[in-house]
């Protein structure tokens, strides 16, 4: 349930149709409550996601990926930790001002102690990771920006965790963000992701209702199969140790962008200017990753 879309805009209460990404104020994302509910201890679903993703990263030699993406990083550090052996640079792309502040504090001062069990599990599954979590996170570059800022074919690998299904009620917008995710990697690039299964719009603590698009394995296959090869989707059972978000479990995905684009993959290349502030450099758009 992290964020990757554009800034909020006002929505008329009389406006029909689903709530979309732009209708939510992601700058007000409740980081402290989100962490308290989800990441102050290892939950069974975290263990499942980490095991799945670690197997992907472990298949690469240390330092063999020159540049990778965490799309909609949010305040979740363990996907960034997992990239700490295979990747020489990780762009953590995040539009929420609140999440960006948290990420930058964690990288500058060192992660909270509550992240240590997460890193211990990551390192037990991938011994090539540095001994220190601080060193593993030293490859991360926090970028304030949106999916609209991504240039096509930039990355060797892209990761996305609890994002596309957690920011919109509109299935077409969900599909469009997944398509951007696929196009962010160069042909032959790897994709790894996790999704809440069938989760409706949800609350964090007692806060506002955030938009979500309930998806299942069939929906993921319909979106990703025309755009990828080697598509694999696994399911984790519902985690009863988490708050009740209305989900039925977690879906885990890995895939590869084809070497040659199919008709459903072709789309406009994003070459517009980065929308980050003057002190927040956006993604370099100088060409594809060579790693």
């Amino acid at each position: 349930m992290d964020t990757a879309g554009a800034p909020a805009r006002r929505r008329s209460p009389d406006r029909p149709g689903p709530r979309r990404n732009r209708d939510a104020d992601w700058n007000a994302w409740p980081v402290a409550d989100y962490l308290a509910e989800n990441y102050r201890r290892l939950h069974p679903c975290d263990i499942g996601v980490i095991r799945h993703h670690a197997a992907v990263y472990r298949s690469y030699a240390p330092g063999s990926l020159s540049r990778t993406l965490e799309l909609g990083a949010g305040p979740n550090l363990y996907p960034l930790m997992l990239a700490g052996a295979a990747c020489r640079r990780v762009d953590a792309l995040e539009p929420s001002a609140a999440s960006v502040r948290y990420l930058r504090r964690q990288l500058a001062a060192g992660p909270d102690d509550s992240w240590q069990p997460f890193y211990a599990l990551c390192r037990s599954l991938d011994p090539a990771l540095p001994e220190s979590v601080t060193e593993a996170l030293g490859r991360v570059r926090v970028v304030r920006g949106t999916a609209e800022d991504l240039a096509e074919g930039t990355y060797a690998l892209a990761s996305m965790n609890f994002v596309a299904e957690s920011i919109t009620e509109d299935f077409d917008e969900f599909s469009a963000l997944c398509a951007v995710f696929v196009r962010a990697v160069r042909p032959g690039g790897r994709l790894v992701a996790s999704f809440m299964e069938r989760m409706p719009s949800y609350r964090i603590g007692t806060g506002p209702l955030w938009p979500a698009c309930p998806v299942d394995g069939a929906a993921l296959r319909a979106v990703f199969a025309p755009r990828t090869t080697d598509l694999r989707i696994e399911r984790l059972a519902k985690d009863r140790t988490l708050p009740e978000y209305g989900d039925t479990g977690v879906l885990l995905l890995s895939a590869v962008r084809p070497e040659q684009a199919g008709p459903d993959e072709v789309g406009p290349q994003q070459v517009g200017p980065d929308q980050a502030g003057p002190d927040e450099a956006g993604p370099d758009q100088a060409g594809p990753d060579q790693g």
Side-chain angles (χ1 to χ4, degrees), residues 111-134:
D112 297 334
D113 290 343
S114 56
W115 288 111
Q116 292 299 329
F118 291 84
Y119 189 65
L121 176 60
C122 293
R123 195 158 182 261
S124 72
L125 295 167
D126 187 356
L129 284 167
E131 182 175 351
S132 162
V133 62
T134 302

Side-chain angles (χ1 to χ4, degrees), residues 211-273:
C213 180
V215 297
D216 58 13
L220 292 189
R221 192 165 296 279
V223 170
F224 283 92
R227 298 176 168 94
T228 65
T229 60
D230 299 329
L231 176 62
R232 298 182 182 181
I233 298 171
E234 302 175 26
R235 181 180 180 274
L236 301 176
K238 182 178 176 67
D239 190 337
R240 303 288 179 181
T241 69
L242 290 172
E244 181 52 72
Y245 294 122
D247 64 284
T248 57
V250 170
L251 298 168
L252 304 171
L253 178 146
S254 64
V256 174
R257 182 180 178 184
E259 292 287 350
Q260 184 171 356
D264 290 326
E265 188 194 351
V266 176
Q269 184 169 350
Q270 299 296 324
V271 294

Side-chain angles (χ1 to χ4, degrees), residues 157-186:
L157 177 149
S159 169
M160 178 174 69
N161 294 282
F162 310 119
V163 175
E165 80 286 13
S166 303
I167 63 170
T168 181
E169 295 173 353
D170 183 355
F171 185 77
D172 288 342
E173 187 173 35
F174 165 81
S175 300
L177 180 55
C178 292
V180 170
F181 173 59
V182 173
R183 292 197 299 267
V185 298
R186 67 191 184 193

